[in-house]
Amino acid sequence: MMPLPSIPRTVAEWDRIRRVKEDVLSRDPFSVDPADHPEVRPEVVASWRRSMLARVDPGARDYVFDEEVRPRTRLAAVAEPVLNRLKDEISDLNSWGFLADRACRLLTVVVGDFPDAGRVHRQNLAPGMCFGEDLMGTNGLGCAHETQQAFLISGTEHFRRDTEILTTTGVIIRDPFTKRYAGTLGLHCLREYGSAAVLPLVAEIGRSIEAQLLGSRTSGEREFFDAFTAAQGRYRGPVVGVSRQLCVVSTRARALVHEQDEELLRRIAEETGSRRQSVRRNLSSGATVTIDVLPVRQPKGEFAAVLVLHPHEPRSRVNLGPPSADPMGDFRSRLTRALREGHPVLLTGERGTGKRHEARAALGDPVELDGALAHLDPGGWLRRLDSALREERAVLAGHLTDLPPELSTSVADLVAAARTPVVGTTAEESGNVLVRESFPVRLTVPPLRERRADFRALCKTLLAGLGGEPVMLAPRAVAALLASDWPGNVRQLRQVLASARIHANGPMIDLADLPARHARDQPLDEVQAAERRVLLAALRDTGGDRNAVADRLGISRATVYRKLKRHELR
């Protein structure tokens, strides 16, 4: 068995690695396998491959700066005394110390004797300078950030040629309180001065910064963290800790709790106050859970609680048959069947999918009641609902999760006893459990990205609804619109078509009439299109949880956000 390659330290070793790198750069990145290049550390070859896929230019000499960076972060503030001591220690050395944030953007730099300008392409080391692997290629800070592990890159192991004379390092800093990634620390020097011994030194400095982070926490935050840690040991199931500023999720809870649930859980903790209670809620993952709320003592004006989650088995629902290949046709046939059989129906789905439109089309001319307005006159709202049901008129009740709590029992009883068609709508699976449970049938209106079969017909209907002279969509305009993922669903499509109609000079809407982000004339290349499809699939499978997407794809959370921004998926 061949020994694993070590960190290069001689000119001959750096020259050999440069030759291997040039060979790798000449290949298709999808064909690059670290096992085919045993003379180079496999983690370095893997980083070269990622850099190639990100289209980093190995010959580039400029750097990307993020002007929106906020250098005075909590991490930068607590690390300042540690970095000041480091500055004193490297004052007579050809070294630099770097502190980067969670997006691998420079926050602080301390500089020793700067090497000869003829040897180093010196840049303005200002806050916002980006070291991410997908922007800078293989480098110590970027590789540590990408893999969430300590990294050292020596000489020609760097992807860009202008950094081949350096040794760069990166060590991950985690907040000991939340266990979350806080930033990256790096120490860079000329390659001949670097060795494997540099990495433990940087790691020790990183631990000093972590100790500063822990020491900066308030007594209330410490008590909250202690309670969360104790609950993890006491309870076998999923545990979540929430306060006004923090949301800490145990490993067992990650499959259940997504980012969309944080505000719901905070509201539960705040409304509970100082008394323990149990509540039942539906989470964005689709799971129904009973939540034991355990308040944690906090300073006046603050709140915190540990939430112990007990998942339920899904309730059996009315069986409306297997799904079809046409999601929208399937939805409409199920809705019609449920109403024909006398079942009250709750429509859920993403915002903007047209729940109210579909309900009105199915009910004909219903009495419409808006739950979001019930708080203005709760008694009057309830009387109007009761009157409509007594007169056996079809009822459309929107925004049911916004109903005042005091109406929940009465509304649930009326819906359960209804002898006339009733459809409720909600964009959320949280709040007013009693009301939602009174609907024996729940149907989800498919999002627009899944409605390719009726997309053209939908555009025609929406354009007709705008009024004025009739207009049509050119085939390439339809193709461009079909390529979008439509996070705002039908509502967003209606806005885009209304804008395009204003810009069109005749009866035809063409590509140039569409808003800029939808008027992509050139399709994405194969690599970009594949990356976009993978991101979309991961987002849908994880319910939009960026942490879960990062775990699934094997990249950092910050890289996920950059790729989402690049593909306009945020």
Side-chain angles (χ1 to χ4, degrees):
M1 183 176 178
M2 282 188 62
L4 291 175
S6 59
I7 297 170
R9 294 208 55 195
T10 67
V11 173
E13 290 173 330
W14 287 317
D15 287 345
R16 185 183 70 246
I17 288 174
R18 182 186 291 112
R19 290 192 292 271
V20 175
K21 182 171 67 175
E22 293 303 323
D23 175 59
V24 169
L25 292 177
S26 68
R27 299 174 181 268
D28 178 352
F30 288 105
S31 70
V32 174
D33 185 348
D36 295 336
H37 307 280
E39 56 271 69
V40 181
R41 292 185 289 158
E43 60 268 30
V44 172
V45 179
S47 175
W48 290 348
R49 181 178 183 272
R50 292 193 298 267
S51 303
M52 293 166 68
L53 288 171
R55 299 189 167 188
V56 178
D57 179 5
R61 291 176 62 82
D62 58 336
Y63 291 80
V64 176
F65 284 82
D66 188 342
E67 296 179 355
E68 296 181 1
V69 73
R70 295 166 54 191
R72 294 306 302 169
T73 63
R74 182 168 171 274
L75 173 64
V78 301
E80 188 172 4
V82 178
L83 293 177
N84 285 339
R85 290 197 298 272
L86 175 63
K87 183 176 182 179
D88 293 337
E89 293 173 5
I90 67 173
S91 60
D92 57 347
L93 301 175
N94 291 328
S95 304
W96 309 262
F98 294 87
L99 181 67
D101 66 6
R102 291 171 59 186
C104 212
R105 301 169 302 187
L106 183 63
L107 295 175
T108 307
V109 59
V110 292
V111 183
D113 282 352
F114 211 100
D116 179 23
R119 298 192 62 200
V120 176
H121 180 58
R122 183 172 185 175
Q123 293 285 334
N124 178 25
L125 299 176
M129 186 175 180
C130 299
F131 288 91
E133 192 183 68
D134 60 338
L135 297 173
M136 269 275 292
T138 305
N139 71 93
L141 280 171
C143 291
H145 167 76
E146 188 71 31
T147 64
Q148 295 291 287
Q149 296 178 348
F151 238 95
L152 186 148
I153 298 296
S154 176
T156 52
E157 289 181 328
H158 289 89
F159 189 79
R160 285 179 34 157
R161 299 185 188 96
D162 66 339
T163 54
E164 288 184 349
I165 65 169
L166 300 175
T167 289
T168 61
T169 63
V171 169
I172 295 301
I173 298 173
R174 295 191 181 278
D175 189 330
F177 183 75
T178 63
K179 307 300 183 186
R180 290 182 174 180
Y181 170 46
T184 310
L185 177 71
L187 185 66
H188 300 181
C189 61
L190 291 175
R191 67 185 186 184
E192 55 264 34
Y193 299 137
S195 70
V198 173
L199 206 54
L201 170 63
V202 182
E204 183 179 348
I205 299 170
R207 300 298 81 79
S208 298
I209 294 175
E210 289 179 345
Q212 293 287 107
L213 280 171
L214 184 60
S216 67
R217 291 295 182 181
T218 65
S219 59
E221 289 173 327
R222 289 171 180 270
E223 191 163 347
F224 165 63
F225 181 64
D226 289 343
F228 174 76
T229 304
Q232 282 185 292
R234 186 179 307 123
Y235 302 100
R236 292 180 176 272
V239 177
V240 179
V242 288
S243 69
R244 194 179 301 280
Q245 302 294 334
L246 298 169
C247 181
V248 191
V249 182
S250 71
T251 302
R252 292 187 181 94
R254 286 177 183 168
L256 292 173
V257 178
H258 298 161
E259 287 185 10
Q260 302 96 303
D261 301 310
E262 289 189 12
E263 285 308 310
L264 167 67
L265 299 179
R266 281 197 177 92
R267 190 164 64 247
I268 292 172
E270 186 172 15
E271 292 173 353
T272 297
S274 60
R275 299 182 62 183
R276 293 191 177 196
Q277 70 165 353
S278 295
V279 297
R280 179 170 169 161
R281 293 290 185 270
N282 282 352
L283 303 178
S284 63
S285 60
T288 300
V289 295
T290 293
I291 305 172
D292 294 336
V293 186
L294 313 177
V296 179
R297 186 175 58 188
Q298 292 290 289
K300 186 176 181 180
E302 296 296 326
F303 69 88
V306 173
L307 312 179
V308 182
L309 279 53
H310 305 281
H312 292 265
E313 291 296 323
R315 280 186 54 178
S316 60
R317 293 279 169 188
V318 176
N319 183 7
L320 297 176
S324 70
D326 177 8
M328 204 61 200
D330 177 61
F331 162 79
R332 287 170 177 153
S333 64
R334 286 170 179 245
L335 175 58
T336 301
R337 177 182 168 187
L339 293 174
R340 186 174 63 244
E341 294 179 0
H343 300 299
V345 180
L346 181 66
L347 301 186
T348 65
E350 299 174 9
R351 294 188 181 277
T353 50
K355 293 181 287 293
R356 179 171 173 268
H357 172 79
E358 294 298 329
R360 293 184 68 183
L363 293 173
D365 183 24
V367 174
E368 293 193 48
L369 298 166
D370 191 341
L373 303 177
H375 69 281
L376 299 175
D377 182 12
W381 195 94
L382 191 61
R383 285 192 295 273
R384 287 192 294 276
L385 174 62
D386 183 38
S387 175
L389 294 177
R390 286 178 183 275
E391 295 171 8
E392 296 191 355
R393 297 181 61 186
V395 173
L396 168 55
H399 302 109
L400 284 179
T401 52
D402 294 327
L403 279 174
E406 63 267 25
L407 296 186
S408 297
T409 301
S410 299
V411 171
D413 291 342
L414 288 172
V415 170
R419 297 180 180 275
T420 188
V422 178
V423 175
T425 69
T426 174
E428 302 179 45
E429 279 290 323
S430 59
N432 262 315
V433 174
L434 187 61
V435 173
R436 286 188 290 101
E437 293 297 320
S438 67
F439 288 86
V441 176
R442 291 189 211 173
L443 297 176
T444 300
V445 180
L448 183 55
R449 61 179 174 272
E450 296 177 5
R451 297 176 57 178
R452 298 318 194 201
D454 72 330
F455 188 85
R456 289 174 174 80
L458 176 61
C459 289
K460 184 177 180 180
T461 300
L462 293 175
L463 284 170
L466 295 175
E469 294 294 325
V471 292
M472 297 177 60
L473 279 169
R476 62 177 184 170
V478 174
L481 293 174
L482 274 168
S484 298
D485 57 292
W486 300 107
N489 291 293
V490 178
R491 186 179 302 156
Q492 182 187 8
L493 176 60
R494 184 184 293 110
Q495 292 170 344
V496 168
L497 292 176
S499 174
R501 191 179 183 282
I502 296 299
H503 285 86
N505 292 322
M508 183 72 70
I509 295 176
D510 210 338
L511 195 66
D513 302 317
L514 299 177
R517 66 165 295 185
H518 300 285
R520 182 184 287 124
D521 193 16
Q522 296 297 324
L524 297 172
D525 65 31
E526 184 180 349
V527 174
Q528 292 173 322
E531 182 177 76
R532 196 174 195 276
R533 287 195 298 271
V534 168
L535 282 169
L536 276 171
L539 284 169
R540 287 196 287 268
D541 292 346
T542 60
D545 186 340
R546 271 55 170 171
N547 287 327
V549 170
D551 290 342
R552 171 171 294 205
L553 300 182
I555 58 179
S556 72
R557 188 166 180 254
T559 299
V560 168
Y561 276 102
R562 282 200 298 274
K563 292 183 183 297
L564 294 179
K565 184 176 181 181
R566 179 186 305 158
H567 289 288
E568 298 180 332
L569 297 177
R570 299 187 71 174

